[in-house]
Amino acid sequence: MEQAQVRPFPLLLLTRELRDNIYDVLLVSHREAPSRPENSGLRKGPGEYDQEIFEDCNFYPAEALDSPTSFLQLSCRQIHDEVQDAISRLQTLAKLPYKLDCMLVDEVELHPTWLSFPAFQSEIPKLEIDFRLFGDVEGKLSAWRGGCGGPPIMVWCLFYLLERFLLRGPDFISSFKQNKKIMLDELSVNVLTQSAVPPNGFIEHECSPFLNRSRKGLMSPETLLGLMADMMDYLLRRSRYTASYATLVFERIRRITFHLDGEKRKHWDLTTMKP
């Protein structure tokens, strides 16, 4: 018995209401965060992309990111315009999610993964970044250890992660052909407490942290949030080490908010701060 042949149904034969529903579902869709670093897909580490000096911790996705609606926008002018209408409508309703998951592994590696990037735009209302801690620092030197008078290596890596997004867009390691000039109304950072405690537990903040290999466990989420908040204050003070990065942040981001498990802990309104 022959199987019935399934034929594609032309999208434009559907009513506009149904097409809008399809666009909405695609635009608000998101993937689940990887359960563990080894489940986060193929990565390119230092030496496999055009890394900056001190960018030794960042392991970027090897595959290019596609917007869920890019194939529709390339199909024909009518569908392109309808998708743009849907983007504008959802953006007005604050329902267009841009979300990045960052796994901090053994305090020495950073694995960013896009969970939702609905459309390539130069004006993005809100970018949410979740930070999660994995592994154990035993036998390693934490990348949060201080440098030679400058910021820790991990701070440089976080700077470069943000810079790559603002200049290149979501494909962090794409060739830099043109400045994307991405503008963010709000950068929202959320440090999450994992349900599973590391085998060697969490390490509370130390006076001279991360300088020896005898440490076991991981910094606590509270410590990570404090370090990142200090990093942001340091960046926005425009020191001789961070002036160029601060200039980019003041030009492209209006507000920055830090959270711990969804609870707001610190806020910067860059529109009222003197660059």
Side-chain angles (χ1 to χ4, degrees):
M1 183 176 178
E2 294 185 3
Q3 291 183 340
Q5 186 177 4
V6 178
R7 297 181 179 179
F9 189 86
L11 182 62
L12 289 176
L13 291 184
L14 297 174
T15 65
R16 176 63 189 268
E17 182 181 6
L18 286 176
R19 293 201 301 274
D20 282 342
N21 288 340
I22 292 171
Y23 305 146
D24 288 358
V25 169
L26 288 171
L27 287 167
V28 301
S29 64
H30 68 278
R31 59 181 290 187
E32 293 298 319
S35 58
R36 297 199 56 78
E38 54 267 27
N39 300 331
S40 64
L42 192 62
R43 299 268 152 182
K44 286 191 176 182
E48 298 180 301
Y49 57 87
D50 60 333
Q51 74 181 86
E52 302 285 351
I53 187 171
F54 300 135
E55 195 176 13
D56 298 329
C57 305
N58 292 352
F59 289 73
Y60 295 106
E63 297 182 356
L65 177 74
D66 276 330
S67 161
T69 57
S70 58
F71 68 99
L72 285 173
Q73 291 178 291
L74 295 173
S75 58
C76 71
R77 184 180 296 275
Q78 180 179 340
I79 292 178
H80 174 277
D81 292 343
E82 290 177 358
V83 171
Q84 286 300 122
D85 289 343
I87 291 171
S88 298
R89 174 167 43 79
L90 290 172
Q91 198 167 29
T92 301
L93 297 172
K95 292 183 177 180
L96 209 57
Y98 292 82
K99 191 158 189 174
L100 181 70
D101 177 75
C102 284
M103 292 180 284
L104 182 60
V105 184
D106 300 331
E107 295 186 18
V108 295
E109 294 182 6
L110 191 65
H111 294 216
T113 302
W114 283 107
L115 304 184
S116 177
F117 199 93
F120 296 96
Q121 298 185 102
S122 57
E123 288 275 350
I124 294 177
K126 184 177 184 180
L127 171 62
E128 299 178 59
I129 306 180
D130 287 344
F131 281 88
R132 299 181 293 150
L133 293 154
F134 288 89
D136 197 299
V137 78
E138 183 178 8
K140 306 176 182 69
L141 281 175
S142 173
W144 287 99
R145 66 189 186 277
C148 299
I153 294 173
M154 185 59 74
V155 171
W156 285 116
C157 291
L158 290 168
F159 284 174
Y160 287 129
L161 174 69
L162 182 58
E163 180 187 63
R164 282 178 179 274
F165 171 67
L166 294 174
L167 296 179
R168 306 186 190 209
D171 286 329
F172 297 111
I173 54 176
S174 60
S175 58
F176 185 64
K177 298 178 181 179
Q178 182 181 7
N179 187 335
K180 301 294 186 182
K181 297 183 179 179
I182 289 179
M183 303 289 293
L184 282 177
D185 192 50
E186 181 180 358
L187 172 63
S188 177
V189 173
N190 189 25
V191 177
L192 298 175
T193 301
Q194 299 284 76
S195 56
V197 177
N200 287 311
F202 288 120
I203 307 167
E204 296 306 318
H205 185 69
E206 309 165 42
C207 293
S208 299
F210 327 123
L211 296 178
N212 62 70
R213 297 178 188 269
S214 63
R215 295 169 69 244
K216 295 181 180 181
L218 289 173
M219 68 172 70
S220 69
E222 183 90 38
T223 297
L224 175 59
L225 182 74
L227 287 169
M228 294 177 66
D230 290 345
M231 172 203 79
M232 188 57 65
D233 282 332
Y234 178 73
L235 169 67
L236 298 178
R237 284 198 297 268
R238 294 169 57 89
S239 75
R240 64 191 181 99
Y241 293 105
T242 64
S244 62
Y245 303 98
T247 298
L248 182 66
V249 168
F250 275 108
E251 287 177 351
R252 305 291 183 85
I253 303 175
R254 298 183 182 93
R255 295 187 305 277
I256 300 173
T257 309
F258 276 16
H259 306 78
L260 180 64
D261 295 321
E263 179 186 341
K264 184 190 288 189
R265 291 296 185 90
K266 193 151 187 178
H267 176 77
W268 296 265
D269 186 344
L270 275 62
T271 63
T272 62
M273 298 173 64
K274 185 176 180 181

